[in-house]
Amino acid sequence: MKLRTLTLGLLSASALAFAAHAESITIATVNNGDMVRMQKLTEDFTKANPDIQLNWVTLEENVLRERVTTDIATKGGQYDVMTIGTYEVPIWAKQSWLLPLDKLGDDYDAKDIIPAIAGGLSVDGKLYAAPFYGESSFVMYRKDLMEKAGLKMPDAPTWDFIKQAADKMTDRANGVNGVCLRGKAGWGENMAFLTAMSNSFGARWFDENWKPQFDQPEWKKTLQFYVDLMKADGPEGASSNGFNENLALFQQGKCGMWIDATVAASFVSDPKASKVADKVGYALAPDNGLGKRGNWLWAWSLAVPAGTKKADAAEKFVSWATSKHYAELVASKEGWANVPPGTRSSLYANAEYQKAAPFAKMTLDSINAADPTHPTVKPVPYVGVQFVAIPEFQGLGTTVGQLFSAALAGQSSVDDALKQAQDAATAAMTEGGYIK
C-alpha cells in the first residue's frame, strides 16, 4: 500500500512537473455558436498535444475586433491565436502584423481550401489566416409564391428578373413583401449588400488612382434600382433591417425573396424555427450580364500574430481547428449539418454532408462566384468583394451606409446621398494620403 501511494505520489509530482513545463497559449475568439462548440471539443487537441494548454478569451464581435486590433497594432503579445475576418487579413499581413502559416503539417492539405476563400486570406501567395467558417450570399426564395406568380427562378437570375418577381410576389393585403434586403446602416450591414450589388452593376468604390467613384453612372444605377425596388416591394421600415430582422421576416413567411448570407439557409430551412421551411429554394446572387454577380465573400479565420512568443504551438492549434479531422470530429458529435461550412472543397464532395445540407451545392457555387482579388468589372487598386481592404474603410463604409440608409428611408434623394458619399470618400482618401 505504501509503495502504491508512493508511486501515485511520484506520478502526481511528475504530472505537476509536466504541467508546469506545458506551454500555454491564449486564443481570442468570437462568441458565435461554431466557436463555442470548438471550445467544447478541444479535449481532442489537448490529448494529442499534452504539452500545450489552452486559455480562451471569448468576446462579442465588436469588442473582439477592438481588443485584437489594439493588441496587434502595439505588438502587445496578449494573444497567441486571433479570430479575425477576411477584411483584416490582407491589411494586417501587409503591415507584417501576422505570421505566414507555413507549418500547418503534412496532412493539412491547404490545397483543399476553397480557392476563393484562400485568395481572400493570402498575400503574395502566402496564407496568413486559416478559415474556420466561410460564406457568400445568394437568393433564398419561396417556391410556392414563385409558382403562384407564374414564374420559375433561374439558377443564375438577373436583377431585372428579381424586380419582375418581386413585383408579382408582393401581396400587401396578406403581409407578403416581394423582397427583403438589408437597409440598416453599417459597413458590414447595408454596405456589405450594396457594395456586392454595385459590383454587378459595374460600379467600384475607387478607380486605379484611389479617386472615389460615387459620382459615376454605375453607382447611380445601383442605388436607384435598390431604393425603387425596396419602396415598391420591400417591408415597411426597411432602413432599420439588418440580417437578423430580415431572417425573422422570412421565417415568418413575410418575404418572397431574401438575398443574404449563405449561412442563413440552415435557419430558413429549419422546421423548428421557420414556418416556410419546406418551401424554400436557392439561386445564385443576381447579375446584369457584366461578368460579376452581386454576392460577397467572408470567412472567420484563425491567425497567429507576429507578437507571439509561442508561434509553433499556436500554429499547431490553428491547424487542428481548421483541419479535415476537425470537420469529422464535429460530424461525429453533432451531425454533418453542424460542420462549419464554406472552407474546404472536400466537405462539398461528401455525400453525407450533401444529404444533410440540401443547399450545399448552391453555397459552394456562390463562394466560387466571388473573386476578392478581382472584385469589380473595371480595374481597382484594392482587394475585397463587399469591402475595401484598407484601414479607413470601417469608418468610411459606415458613413456611406448611413447616407444610403437615409435615402432608403426617404430622408434624402439618391442624388444627394451619392454626392455626400463622394465628398466623404474624397476627404477620407485625401486625409489618408491616397489622393496626391
Side-chain angles (χ1 to χ4, degrees), residues 154-179:
D155 283 344
T158 63
W159 282 108
D160 285 342
F161 178 86
I162 295 294
K163 172 64 177 157
Q164 179 192 1
D167 286 346
K168 289 197 172 183
M169 293 164 94
T170 296
D171 181 359
R172 301 289 188 211
N174 289 302
V176 176
N177 305 286
V179 68

PDB file of all heavy atoms in Angstrom, residues 154-179:
ATOM      1  N   PRO A 154     -34.535  31.172 -62.167  1.00  0.00           N
ATOM      2  CA  PRO A 154     -33.349  30.559 -62.787  1.00  0.00           C
ATOM      3  C   PRO A 154     -32.281  30.298 -61.717  1.00  0.00           C
ATOM      4  O   PRO A 154     -32.278  30.937 -60.664  1.00  0.00           O
ATOM      5  CB  PRO A 154     -32.867  31.634 -63.772  1.00  0.00           C
ATOM      6  CG  PRO A 154     -33.924  32.696 -63.786  1.00  0.00           C
ATOM      7  CD  PRO A 154     -34.688  32.585 -62.526  1.00  0.00           C
ATOM      8  N   ASP A 155     -31.382  29.375 -61.989  1.00  0.00           N
ATOM      9  CA  ASP A 155     -30.265  29.143 -61.064  1.00  0.00           C
ATOM     10  C   ASP A 155     -29.373  30.375 -60.960  1.00  0.00           C
ATOM     11  O   ASP A 155     -28.728  30.597 -59.932  1.00  0.00           O
ATOM     12  CB  ASP A 155     -29.414  27.951 -61.536  1.00  0.00           C
ATOM     13  CG  ASP A 155     -30.078  26.619 -61.214  1.00  0.00           C
ATOM     14  OD1 ASP A 155     -31.006  26.606 -60.387  1.00  0.00           O
ATOM     15  OD2 ASP A 155     -29.662  25.603 -61.804  1.00  0.00           O
ATOM     16  N   ALA A 156     -29.334  31.160 -62.062  1.00  0.00           N
ATOM     17  CA  ALA A 156     -28.481  32.356 -62.106  1.00  0.00           C
ATOM     18  C   ALA A 156     -29.315  33.545 -62.600  1.00  0.00           C
ATOM     19  O   ALA A 156     -29.257  33.920 -63.777  1.00  0.00           O
ATOM     20  CB  ALA A 156     -27.282  32.113 -63.028  1.00  0.00           C
ATOM     21  N   PRO A 157     -30.129  34.141 -61.728  1.00  0.00           N
ATOM     22  CA  PRO A 157     -31.056  35.199 -62.163  1.00  0.00           C
ATOM     23  C   PRO A 157     -30.370  36.534 -62.440  1.00  0.00           C
ATOM     24  O   PRO A 157     -29.244  36.775 -61.988  1.00  0.00           O
ATOM     25  CB  PRO A 157     -32.003  35.332 -60.961  1.00  0.00           C
ATOM     26  CG  PRO A 157     -31.168  34.940 -59.785  1.00  0.00           C
ATOM     27  CD  PRO A 157     -30.252  33.853 -60.287  1.00  0.00           C
ATOM     28  N   THR A 158     -31.075  37.389 -63.160  1.00  0.00           N
ATOM     29  CA  THR A 158     -30.632  38.774 -63.369  1.00  0.00           C
ATOM     30  C   THR A 158     -31.369  39.668 -62.371  1.00  0.00           C
ATOM     31  O   THR A 158     -32.395  39.282 -61.801  1.00  0.00           O
ATOM     32  CB  THR A 158     -30.964  39.258 -64.788  1.00  0.00           C
ATOM     33  OG1 THR A 158     -32.402  39.239 -64.940  1.00  0.00           O
ATOM     34  CG2 THR A 158     -30.322  38.367 -65.850  1.00  0.00           C
ATOM     35  N   TRP A 159     -30.881  40.905 -62.205  1.00  0.00           N
ATOM     36  CA  TRP A 159     -31.587  41.861 -61.348  1.00  0.00           C
ATOM     37  C   TRP A 159     -32.958  42.204 -61.927  1.00  0.00           C
ATOM     38  O   TRP A 159     -33.914  42.429 -61.181  1.00  0.00           O
ATOM     39  CB  TRP A 159     -30.748  43.120 -61.161  1.00  0.00           C
ATOM     40  CG  TRP A 159     -29.637  42.934 -60.171  1.00  0.00           C
ATOM     41  CD1 TRP A 159     -28.294  42.849 -60.436  1.00  0.00           C
ATOM     42  CD2 TRP A 159     -29.773  42.808 -58.745  1.00  0.00           C
ATOM     43  NE1 TRP A 159     -27.591  42.665 -59.268  1.00  0.00           N
ATOM     44  CE2 TRP A 159     -28.463  42.645 -58.212  1.00  0.00           C
ATOM     45  CE3 TRP A 159     -30.858  42.803 -57.867  1.00  0.00           C
ATOM     46  CZ2 TRP A 159     -28.220  42.483 -56.848  1.00  0.00           C
ATOM     47  CZ3 TRP A 159     -30.627  42.644 -56.510  1.00  0.00           C
ATOM     48  CH2 TRP A 159     -29.327  42.483 -56.012  1.00  0.00           C
ATOM     49  N   ASP A 160     -33.066  42.223 -63.243  1.00  0.00           N
ATOM     50  CA  ASP A 160     -34.369  42.505 -63.868  1.00  0.00           C
ATOM     51  C   ASP A 160     -35.389  41.424 -63.503  1.00  0.00           C
ATOM     52  O   ASP A 160     -36.560  41.726 -63.253  1.00  0.00           O
ATOM     53  CB  ASP A 160     -34.230  42.599 -65.395  1.00  0.00           C
ATOM     54  CG  ASP A 160     -33.578  43.906 -65.828  1.00  0.00           C
ATOM     55  OD1 ASP A 160     -33.547  44.853 -65.018  1.00  0.00           O
ATOM     56  OD2 ASP A 160     -33.088  43.978 -66.974  1.00  0.00           O
ATOM     57  N   PHE A 161     -34.938  40.162 -63.461  1.00  0.00           N
ATOM     58  CA  PHE A 161     -35.851  39.088 -63.072  1.00  0.00           C
ATOM     59  C   PHE A 161     -36.263  39.249 -61.611  1.00  0.00           C
ATOM     60  O   PHE A 161     -37.436  39.045 -61.264  1.00  0.00           O
ATOM     61  CB  PHE A 161     -35.216  37.704 -63.275  1.00  0.00           C
ATOM     62  CG  PHE A 161     -36.124  36.589 -62.829  1.00  0.00           C
ATOM     63  CD1 PHE A 161     -37.072  36.061 -63.685  1.00  0.00           C
ATOM     64  CD2 PHE A 161     -36.061  36.099 -61.527  1.00  0.00           C
ATOM     65  CE1 PHE A 161     -37.947  35.061 -63.269  1.00  0.00           C
ATOM     66  CE2 PHE A 161     -36.933  35.093 -61.093  1.00  0.00           C
ATOM     67  CZ  PHE A 161     -37.875  34.574 -61.972  1.00  0.00           C
ATOM     68  N   ILE A 162     -35.321  39.615 -60.749  1.00  0.00           N
ATOM     69  CA  ILE A 162     -35.630  39.818 -59.329  1.00  0.00           C
ATOM     70  C   ILE A 162     -36.706  40.894 -59.169  1.00  0.00           C
ATOM     71  O   ILE A 162     -37.665  40.737 -58.406  1.00  0.00           O
ATOM     72  CB  ILE A 162     -34.360  40.205 -58.532  1.00  0.00           C
ATOM     73  CG1 ILE A 162     -33.349  39.062 -58.537  1.00  0.00           C
ATOM     74  CG2 ILE A 162     -34.706  40.625 -57.102  1.00  0.00           C
ATOM     75  CD1 ILE A 162     -33.771  37.802 -57.819  1.00  0.00           C
ATOM     76  N   LYS A 163     -36.578  41.979 -59.925  1.00  0.00           N
ATOM     77  CA  LYS A 163     -37.569  43.057 -59.879  1.00  0.00           C
ATOM     78  C   LYS A 163     -38.940  42.574 -60.365  1.00  0.00           C
ATOM     79  O   LYS A 163     -39.976  42.830 -59.740  1.00  0.00           O
ATOM     80  CB  LYS A 163     -37.066  44.239 -60.726  1.00  0.00           C
ATOM     81  CG  LYS A 163     -38.071  45.368 -60.943  1.00  0.00           C
ATOM     82  CD  LYS A 163     -38.456  46.069 -59.656  1.00  0.00           C
ATOM     83  CE  LYS A 163     -39.397  47.239 -59.919  1.00  0.00           C
ATOM     84  NZ  LYS A 163     -40.192  47.585 -58.714  1.00  0.00           N
ATOM     85  N   GLN A 164     -38.930  41.849 -61.488  1.00  0.00           N
ATOM     86  CA  GLN A 164     -40.184  41.317 -62.049  1.00  0.00           C
ATOM     87  C   GLN A 164     -40.867  40.376 -61.046  1.00  0.00           C
ATOM     88  O   GLN A 164     -42.080  40.467 -60.804  1.00  0.00           O
ATOM     89  CB  GLN A 164     -39.867  40.557 -63.345  1.00  0.00           C
ATOM     90  CG  GLN A 164     -41.081  39.939 -64.023  1.00  0.00           C
ATOM     91  CD  GLN A 164     -40.699  38.947 -65.125  1.00  0.00           C
ATOM     92  OE1 GLN A 164     -39.519  38.699 -65.371  1.00  0.00           O
ATOM     93  NE2 GLN A 164     -41.702  38.370 -65.774  1.00  0.00           N
ATOM     94  N   ALA A 165     -40.080  39.485 -60.437  1.00  0.00           N
ATOM     95  CA  ALA A 165     -40.636  38.530 -59.482  1.00  0.00           C
ATOM     96  C   ALA A 165     -41.130  39.229 -58.218  1.00  0.00           C
ATOM     97  O   ALA A 165     -42.202  38.896 -57.697  1.00  0.00           O
ATOM     98  CB  ALA A 165     -39.582  37.474 -59.131  1.00  0.00           C
ATOM     99  N   ALA A 166     -40.366  40.205 -57.730  1.00  0.00           N
ATOM    100  CA  ALA A 166     -40.758  40.931 -56.513  1.00  0.00           C
ATOM    101  C   ALA A 166     -42.090  41.650 -56.721  1.00  0.00           C
ATOM    102  O   ALA A 166     -42.970  41.627 -55.847  1.00  0.00           O
ATOM    103  CB  ALA A 166     -39.666  41.927 -56.122  1.00  0.00           C
ATOM    104  N   ASP A 167     -42.245  42.281 -57.892  1.00  0.00           N
ATOM    105  CA  ASP A 167     -43.500  42.988 -58.196  1.00  0.00           C
ATOM    106  C   ASP A 167     -44.694  42.029 -58.151  1.00  0.00           C
ATOM    107  O   ASP A 167     -45.763  42.359 -57.631  1.00  0.00           O
ATOM    108  CB  ASP A 167     -43.426  43.631 -59.591  1.00  0.00           C
ATOM    109  CG  ASP A 167     -42.532  44.868 -59.615  1.00  0.00           C
ATOM    110  OD1 ASP A 167     -42.182  45.374 -58.535  1.00  0.00           O
ATOM    111  OD2 ASP A 167     -42.174  45.314 -60.726  1.00  0.00           O
ATOM    112  N   LYS A 168     -44.496  40.820 -58.693  1.00  0.00           N
ATOM    113  CA  LYS A 168     -45.604  39.865 -58.771  1.00  0.00           C
ATOM    114  C   LYS A 168     -45.875  39.174 -57.434  1.00  0.00           C
ATOM    115  O   LYS A 168     -47.005  38.749 -57.166  1.00  0.00           O
ATOM    116  CB  LYS A 168     -45.305  38.812 -59.842  1.00  0.00           C
ATOM    117  CG  LYS A 168     -45.389  39.360 -61.267  1.00  0.00           C
ATOM    118  CD  LYS A 168     -45.511  38.249 -62.275  1.00  0.00           C
ATOM    119  CE  LYS A 168     -45.782  38.819 -63.661  1.00  0.00           C
ATOM    120  NZ  LYS A 168     -45.973  37.760 -64.664  1.00  0.00           N
ATOM    121  N   MET A 169     -44.842  39.029 -56.606  1.00  0.00           N
ATOM    122  CA  MET A 169     -45.000  38.309 -55.337  1.00  0.00           C
ATOM    123  C   MET A 169     -45.504  39.203 -54.204  1.00  0.00           C
ATOM    124  O   MET A 169     -46.044  38.713 -53.212  1.00  0.00           O
ATOM    125  CB  MET A 169     -43.665  37.669 -54.922  1.00  0.00           C
ATOM    126  CG  MET A 169     -43.214  36.556 -55.855  1.00  0.00           C
ATOM    127  SD  MET A 169     -41.471  36.153 -55.625  1.00  0.00           S
ATOM    128  CE  MET A 169     -41.567  34.813 -54.474  1.00  0.00           C
ATOM    129  N   THR A 170     -45.328  40.510 -54.345  1.00  0.00           N
ATOM    130  CA  THR A 170     -45.771  41.425 -53.294  1.00  0.00           C
ATOM    131  C   THR A 170     -47.290  41.359 -53.140  1.00  0.00           C
ATOM    132  O   THR A 170     -48.033  41.484 -54.107  1.00  0.00           O
ATOM    133  CB  THR A 170     -45.330  42.874 -53.615  1.00  0.00           C
ATOM    134  OG1 THR A 170     -43.901  42.924 -53.615  1.00  0.00           O
ATOM    135  CG2 THR A 170     -45.857  43.850 -52.572  1.00  0.00           C
ATOM    136  N   ASP A 171     -47.705  41.116 -51.908  1.00  0.00           N
ATOM    137  CA  ASP A 171     -49.136  40.985 -51.604  1.00  0.00           C
ATOM    138  C   ASP A 171     -49.366  41.654 -50.250  1.00  0.00           C
ATOM    139  O   ASP A 171     -49.382  41.013 -49.199  1.00  0.00           O
ATOM    140  CB  ASP A 171     -49.507  39.493 -51.563  1.00  0.00           C
ATOM    141  CG  ASP A 171     -50.985  39.254 -51.264  1.00  0.00           C
ATOM    142  OD1 ASP A 171     -51.717  40.249 -51.069  1.00  0.00           O
ATOM    143  OD2 ASP A 171     -51.381  38.075 -51.197  1.00  0.00           O
ATOM    144  N   ARG A 172     -49.530  42.980 -50.298  1.00  0.00           N
ATOM    145  CA  ARG A 172     -49.631  43.758 -49.050  1.00  0.00           C
ATOM    146  C   ARG A 172     -50.818  43.307 -48.178  1.00  0.00           C
ATOM    147  O   ARG A 172     -50.717  43.283 -46.961  1.00  0.00           O
ATOM    148  CB  ARG A 172     -49.790  45.247 -49.372  1.00  0.00           C
ATOM    149  CG  ARG A 172     -48.651  45.862 -50.184  1.00  0.00           C
ATOM    150  CD  ARG A 172     -47.393  45.998 -49.384  1.00  0.00           C
ATOM    151  NE  ARG A 172     -46.385  46.757 -50.101  1.00  0.00           N
ATOM    152  CZ  ARG A 172     -45.084  46.571 -49.982  1.00  0.00           C
ATOM    153  NH1 ARG A 172     -44.614  45.656 -49.157  1.00  0.00           N
ATOM    154  NH2 ARG A 172     -44.225  47.302 -50.650  1.00  0.00           N
ATOM    155  N   ALA A 173     -51.920  42.924 -48.822  1.00  0.00           N
ATOM    156  CA  ALA A 173     -53.111  42.527 -48.069  1.00  0.00           C
ATOM    157  C   ALA A 173     -52.836  41.322 -47.165  1.00  0.00           C
ATOM    158  O   ALA A 173     -53.416  41.185 -46.094  1.00  0.00           O
ATOM    159  CB  ALA A 173     -54.251  42.207 -49.031  1.00  0.00           C
ATOM    160  N   ASN A 174     -51.924  40.458 -47.602  1.00  0.00           N
ATOM    161  CA  ASN A 174     -51.584  39.270 -46.821  1.00  0.00           C
ATOM    162  C   ASN A 174     -50.219  39.383 -46.134  1.00  0.00           C
ATOM    163  O   ASN A 174     -49.667  38.382 -45.662  1.00  0.00           O
ATOM    164  CB  ASN A 174     -51.616  38.023 -47.713  1.00  0.00           C
ATOM    165  CG  ASN A 174     -53.043  37.653 -48.107  1.00  0.00           C
ATOM    166  OD1 ASN A 174     -53.882  37.425 -47.241  1.00  0.00           O
ATOM    167  ND2 ASN A 174     -53.323  37.635 -49.404  1.00  0.00           N
ATOM    168  N   GLY A 175     -49.676  40.600 -46.106  1.00  0.00           N
ATOM    169  CA  GLY A 175     -48.428  40.838 -45.389  1.00  0.00           C
ATOM    170  C   GLY A 175     -47.194  40.252 -46.037  1.00  0.00           C
ATOM    171  O   GLY A 175     -46.182  39.992 -45.364  1.00  0.00           O
ATOM    172  N   VAL A 176     -47.223  40.035 -47.361  1.00  0.00           N
ATOM    173  CA  VAL A 176     -46.069  39.468 -48.057  1.00  0.00           C
ATOM    174  C   VAL A 176     -45.326  40.558 -48.834  1.00  0.00           C
ATOM    175  O   VAL A 176     -45.918  41.240 -49.676  1.00  0.00           O
ATOM    176  CB  VAL A 176     -46.488  38.339 -49.031  1.00  0.00           C
ATOM    177  CG1 VAL A 176     -45.276  37.829 -49.809  1.00  0.00           C
ATOM    178  CG2 VAL A 176     -47.152  37.196 -48.269  1.00  0.00           C
ATOM    179  N   ASN A 177     -44.048  40.710 -48.539  1.00  0.00           N
ATOM    180  CA  ASN A 177     -43.177  41.621 -49.279  1.00  0.00           C
ATOM    181  C   ASN A 177     -42.447  40.819 -50.352  1.00  0.00           C
ATOM    182  O   ASN A 177     -41.921  39.736 -50.071  1.00  0.00           O
ATOM    183  CB  ASN A 177     -42.146  42.249 -48.337  1.00  0.00           C
ATOM    184  CG  ASN A 177     -42.801  42.933 -47.147  1.00  0.00           C
ATOM    185  OD1 ASN A 177     -43.384  43.994 -47.277  1.00  0.00           O
ATOM    186  ND2 ASN A 177     -42.728  42.299 -45.980  1.00  0.00           N
ATOM    187  N   GLY A 178     -42.410  41.345 -51.560  1.00  0.00           N
ATOM    188  CA  GLY A 178     -41.765  40.616 -52.655  1.00  0.00           C
ATOM    189  C   GLY A 178     -40.301  40.337 -52.398  1.00  0.00           C
ATOM    190  O   GLY A 178     -39.778  39.291 -52.786  1.00  0.00           O
ATOM    191  N   VAL A 179     -39.632  41.287 -51.728  1.00  0.00           N
ATOM    192  CA  VAL A 179     -38.197  41.105 -51.471  1.00  0.00           C
ATOM    193  C   VAL A 179     -37.819  41.767 -50.146  1.00  0.00           C
ATOM    194  O   VAL A 179     -38.377  42.809 -49.785  1.00  0.00           O
ATOM    195  CB  VAL A 179     -37.349  41.673 -52.640  1.00  0.00           C
ATOM    196  CG1 VAL A 179     -37.440  43.187 -52.720  1.00  0.00           C
ATOM    197  CG2 VAL A 179     -35.899  41.220 -52.570  1.00  0.00           C
TER     198      VAL A 179
END
